[in-house]
Amino acid sequence: QVQLVESGGGLVQPGGSLRLSCAASGSIFSIGAMHWYRQAPGKERELVASISSRGTPSYADSVKGRVTVSRDNAKNTVYLQMNSLKSEDTAVYYCNAFLVMAAGDKPLSYWGQGTQVTVSS
């Protein structure tokens, strides 16, 4: 069974740091782009950061300069290093990845279950 599992969320004070991880498991041939989204209470889900299969990152303006996305293809894992956290970063963070199950297959979108990040003093 293919799944994405996030970890690393928690409670942190303003100005603090957290590192989120998202590991893909199961019978996977390859992984395309990987993304981090977040959803705060009462708000729509928004894209935070993306990384292409070749490792090219991109960021939302709201987190640019404070967040770094990276991936370890050998471990089928994507990371989100978040620094200088603010209260407005409080949200459930979701991992999304496009997975290819076999050679020649089209990529399919998978989502993790989400991990809570709370920034509060």
Side-chain angles (χ1 to χ4, degrees):
Q1 181 180 0
V2 175
Q3 59 179 350
L4 299 179
V5 178
E6 298 111 334
S7 61
L11 173 64
V12 63
Q13 293 186 344
S17 298
L18 278 177
R19 188 192 193 207
L20 307 183
S21 300
C22 171
S25 62
S27 180
I28 302 168
F29 177 75
S30 66
I31 302 178
M34 305 181 83
H35 311 280
W36 285 98
Y37 287 79
R38 68 185 180 187
Q39 187 166 21
K43 295 188 177 181
E44 294 187 353
R45 190 171 297 189
E46 64 171 350
L47 180 63
V48 176
S50 299
I51 187 165
S52 72
S53 58
R54 296 187 177 187
T56 302
S58 62
Y59 303 97
D61 288 342
S62 59
V63 301
K64 200 170 293 184
R66 302 188 295 119
V67 163
T68 301
V69 61
S70 60
R71 62 191 289 167
D72 184 337
N73 291 331
K75 296 182 179 179
N76 287 345
T77 299
V78 62
Y79 304 97
L80 189 69
Q81 176 67 44
M82 302 187 293
N83 301 320
S84 302
L85 283 163
K86 307 174 182 180
S87 58
E88 51 262 45
D89 295 317
T90 295
V92 178
Y93 284 71
Y94 296 91
C95 171
N96 169 244
F98 287 82
L99 310 181
V100 178
M101 302 310 160
D105 284 358
K106 292 182 179 180
L108 297 176
S109 177
Y110 283 82
W111 289 86
Q113 81 287 354
T115 185
Q116 176 71 47
V117 171
T118 302
V119 184
S120 175
S121 55

